[in-house]
Amino acid sequence: MSGSGDNRERWEKTTLRKTLERFPERKDGFTTGSGLPVDRVYIPDDAPGAAFGSDGSPGDTLGLPGEYPFTRGVQPTMYRGRLWTMRQYAGFGTAAETNARFRYLLEQGQTGLSVAFDLPTQMGYDADDEMAEGEVGRVGVSVCSVEDMKVLFDGIPLGEVSTSMTINATAPLVMAMYLVAAEEAGVDFGQLRGTVQNDILKEYAARGTHIYPPKPSVGFAIDLCAYCAEHVQKWNTISISGYHIREAGATAVEELAFTLADGIAYVEAAKERGLDVETFAARLSFFFDAHNDFFEEVAKLRAARRMWARIVGERFGIDSPRAQMLRFHTQTAGCTLTAQQPELNVVRVTLQALAAVLGGTQSLHTNSRDEALALPTEQSVRIALRTQQVIAEESGVASVTDPLGGSYYVEALTDRIESEARAELDRIDGMGGATAAIENGHFQRAIAKSAYRQQKEVEDEERVVVGVNRYTVDEPARMEVLRVDPSIREDKLEALARLRDSRDSSAVEGALKRLEDDATAGRSTMEAALECARRRVTLGEMSSVLEKVFGRYKPSQAAW
């Protein structure tokens, strides 16, 4: 009996050749969005590890849903049991304005909150700092003290709603303010559920909202992990982000490899701190981009689960299925949105969201059609949320676990992405791990090179962007956009002045001294940060004290 490879050879010499003589293939070139070659057809020989044995047992790379290596999903029933969390990222202007947006989204059927902070908050500056001028409330909500945090979540039951916060360099400080806001609302820490990004390593490689040097920053992040492991046990204390790496220009393979390398670095740091690595690994979550190449994105997410399960089991010797499971949030690709013909962004986001769901995401944010122009309006965020709801309720894709599993193409592409990402991980290991690879500029150079290649392909029309370099129209975008009132900074200055006048200055000084002493001695900073939050110490004041101890990071020329 001839094998599938023999059948392909026969097909190519007969059926295919006759067709190609009459209808030659397009000259566009056939690769994934990341440049991986794509064959015209895939057969069982292309995905041997996914084949089932004669006894019906699954192949070693595939398995069954809910079982090692989790290629087909972390739960055996996936969305038949519970839909993914619909967690729309939101934040702008004042805490009160963002609170109103949160309430609106919850009324529209959102099932989890996701907080966007403005740049001053992310960088450790209060709104009255000269460095914050022109940026207060622009790309997220301004939070300077626990008073802002209380307004931000006013009327929202923190013990019932899962909250995600995209914050990194100042994550332990912002988390301390969130905990105090919950405490003062009468909510026990053990009831709180959510995620804080707290992934500082990707900031040096791709995003730039770092403050302190890498080594003390990683230790600061682990302070938060250790505290929550004991006191806030339902909280995911690091969301290791490939999203921002991809948005900066990385390929799918680089996004996967760099993200998992960062994950390895955090587990190693937790181990050095003396934390229980099995418990630590079980509370990690990840955050990926859903880009335009539909099948590549599905394959990337499937490969990510398989790779992480093997890393946790083989590298760290942890055989707990809970620790081996890679659970992740996905966001559609902001970098693919266009200001030209912005209505087309609805189509892009729909395809990207579908890829995330078919890839097995645990929660999802869908970008709004107008985000290439400004912050999204209420109408735009409603369309974005409704996109998820249509996929969940009308498409039928949530009825089957891993519906693309067994596709020769998807399985072969999953294998190829894993192989390429493993090779990149080996290179990173050879440099001494993720931190060393960031310090020597490997991540940054690779991302910049890929970003340049992709942009050049667009400019040379080798990569089609509908409405930008093909199928263009000569008319401006007509769409209402949201504008943040620049006068909110003046209101914040007055509020900060009142706060400083009303608090106990000696208690503030004592709390800041404790924070400085703990950071200097290498002790956990979380208890001191909580005391600072209770005493109404501002974010900028806490960050300044830590900068005195840790220093401020300045990239070396070698990093670029």
Side-chain angles (χ1 to χ4, degrees):
M1 182 181 292
S2 61
S4 59
D6 295 333
N7 278 328
R8 176 160 58 186
E9 185 177 358
R10 176 201 57 75
W11 174 78
E12 287 174 345
K13 289 179 178 178
T14 56
T15 305
L16 174 64
R17 186 172 68 181
K18 291 176 184 177
T19 299
L20 290 178
E21 287 171 354
R22 296 179 61 198
F23 306 108
E25 292 180 336
R26 290 179 282 117
K27 302 295 185 183
D28 294 351
F30 297 92
T31 63
T32 68
S34 297
L36 300 179
V38 175
D39 292 337
R40 62 171 57 87
V41 68
Y42 287 81
I43 60 176
D45 287 4
D46 295 314
F52 279 71
S54 58
D55 62 351
S57 60
D60 61 349
T61 64
L62 189 59
L64 288 168
E67 295 182 354
Y68 183 91
F70 305 103
T71 310
R72 304 200 65 188
V74 295
Q75 299 295 339
T77 57
M78 287 302 288
Y79 309 131
R80 288 170 69 104
R82 187 177 72 181
L83 292 172
W84 61 91
T85 302
M86 299 180 191
R87 193 188 297 280
Q88 293 298 108
Y89 186 51
F92 63 93
T94 65
E97 289 173 309
T98 299
N99 175 267
R101 177 63 62 87
F102 285 167
R103 288 168 177 264
Y104 175 78
L105 287 166
L106 290 171
E107 289 167 1
Q108 298 303 313
Q110 177 170 294
T111 53
L113 298 176
S114 183
V115 188
F117 295 96
D118 70 359
L119 283 175
T121 304
Q122 295 180 52
M123 298 291 288
Y125 297 114
D126 289 330
D128 58 357
D129 193 296
E130 62 180 12
M131 293 295 290
E133 189 170 354
E135 291 293 342
V136 176
R138 287 284 298 274
V139 298
V141 61
S142 173
V143 173
C144 301
S145 76
V146 73
E147 292 299 320
D148 291 323
M149 194 67 80
K150 291 174 73 172
V151 172
L152 183 62
F153 292 100
D154 181 45
I156 294 172
L158 296 183
E160 300 173 21
V161 175
S162 172
T163 302
S164 174
M165 295 187 284
T166 301
I167 195 79
N168 296 282
T170 58
L173 308 180
V174 170
M175 185 67 184
M177 291 191 285
Y178 181 84
L179 291 175
V180 171
E183 179 180 73
E184 295 183 1
V187 180
D188 184 83
F189 289 178
Q191 295 178 262
L192 298 173
R193 294 179 298 112
T195 301
V196 63
Q197 194 162 98
N198 197 29
D199 173 15
I200 193 61
L201 286 175
K202 63 92 174 48
E203 297 296 326
Y204 304 103
R207 194 161 176 261
T209 64
H210 46 68
I211 305 173
Y212 324 113
K215 187 173 181 179
S217 291
V218 170
F220 190 38
I222 298 299
D223 288 351
L224 173 55
C225 299
Y227 182 85
C228 288
E230 184 175 354
H231 302 284
V232 200
Q233 295 179 344
K234 294 180 182 178
W235 202 272
N236 299 312
T237 48
I238 295 185
S239 177
I240 305 159
S241 176
Y243 181 84
H244 302 97
I245 290 169
R246 189 68 176 280
E247 290 288 292
T251 66
V253 168
E254 289 165 343
E255 176 192 0
L256 179 52
F258 295 170
T259 304
L260 296 187
D262 286 348
I264 290 167
Y266 292 126
V267 176
E268 289 175 341
K271 187 176 181 179
E272 289 174 10
R273 180 69 70 89
L275 300 184
D276 182 285
V277 291
E278 181 177 320
T279 302
F280 178 79
R283 294 310 311 176
L284 291 176
S285 65
F286 290 78
F287 175 22
F288 290 109
D289 202 313
H291 220 269
N292 273 342
D293 192 306
F294 184 84
F295 289 106
E296 182 172 55
E297 294 307 294
V298 172
K300 175 192 74 181
L301 298 174
R302 298 171 88 250
R305 277 193 297 272
R306 187 160 74 208
M307 289 181 70
W308 186 247
R310 289 174 170 169
I311 287 167
V312 170
E314 297 168 9
R315 188 168 189 143
F316 294 105
I318 301 171
D319 58 8
S320 161
R322 180 68 179 166
Q324 292 171 347
M325 289 180 186
L326 182 144
R327 296 160 299 118
F328 60 92
H329 171 72
T330 311
Q331 181 172 338
T332 57
C335 64
T336 67
L337 303 182
T338 63
Q340 302 92 328
Q341 300 182 51
E343 65 275 8
L344 299 179
N345 293 331
V346 176
V347 181
R348 293 185 177 100
V349 167
T350 302
L351 288 169
Q352 293 162 5
L354 184 58
V357 170
L358 292 175
T361 194
Q362 276 63 67
S363 69
L364 177 62
H365 166 93
T366 35
N367 287 328
S368 297
R369 58 183 177 167
D370 50 1
E371 288 188 53
L373 299 168
L375 291 167
T377 63
E378 279 195 356
Q379 183 185 42
S380 292
V381 299
R382 186 175 67 245
I383 292 171
L385 177 58
R386 293 286 185 261
T387 299
Q388 294 199 49
Q389 292 164 339
V390 169
I391 292 172
E393 306 291 352
E394 299 184 25
S395 71
V397 299
S399 299
V400 180
T401 302
D402 189 31
L404 293 182
S407 156
Y408 305 137
Y409 177 40
V410 170
E411 299 299 352
L413 189 54
T414 301
D415 292 346
R416 176 66 184 270
I417 289 174
E418 178 181 14
S419 175
E420 298 277 344
R422 279 188 172 275
E424 179 59 35
L425 272 177
D426 288 343
R427 282 190 286 273
I428 294 166
D429 281 340
M431 298 173 191
T435 303
I438 289 167
E439 289 176 337
N440 72 28
H442 172 70
F443 281 24
Q444 297 93 312
R445 288 190 297 271
I447 293 168
K449 183 178 179 181
S450 294
Y452 174 79
R453 176 182 62 80
Q454 293 171 54
Q455 181 59 33
K456 193 168 189 312
E457 287 173 357
V458 172
E459 292 175 3
D460 293 343
E461 297 188 30
E462 295 173 6
R463 181 187 294 256
V464 175
V465 181
V466 175
V468 174
N469 62 5
R470 197 175 292 184
Y471 314 114
T472 59
V473 293
D474 188 19
E475 60 184 46
R478 294 184 178 89
M479 188 172 288
E480 177 189 357
V481 296
L482 187 151
R483 304 290 185 192
V484 175
D485 186 347
S487 69
I488 69 166
R489 184 169 185 258
E490 299 306 314
D491 296 335
K492 291 286 291 186
L493 298 186
E494 293 176 9
L496 279 167
R498 289 195 301 270
L499 176 76
R500 292 191 174 105
D501 287 342
S502 66
R503 63 192 187 179
D504 183 334
S505 59
S506 63
V508 166
E509 290 174 8
L512 284 170
K513 181 67 166 58
R514 180 183 177 185
L515 180 64
E516 182 176 1
D517 289 347
D518 286 351
T520 301
R523 295 188 293 267
S524 173
T525 55
M526 278 303 297
E527 289 287 1
L530 285 163
E531 183 182 348
C532 284
R534 292 183 184 112
R535 299 296 185 179
R536 275 30 184 189
V537 179
T538 67
L539 178 72
E541 291 164 342
M542 288 188 271
S543 183
S544 294
V545 162
L546 292 174
E547 186 178 337
K548 281 200 313 184
V549 179
F550 297 149
R552 180 168 282 273
Y553 177 67
K554 295 180 180 178
S556 66
Q557 285 189 326
W560 294 97

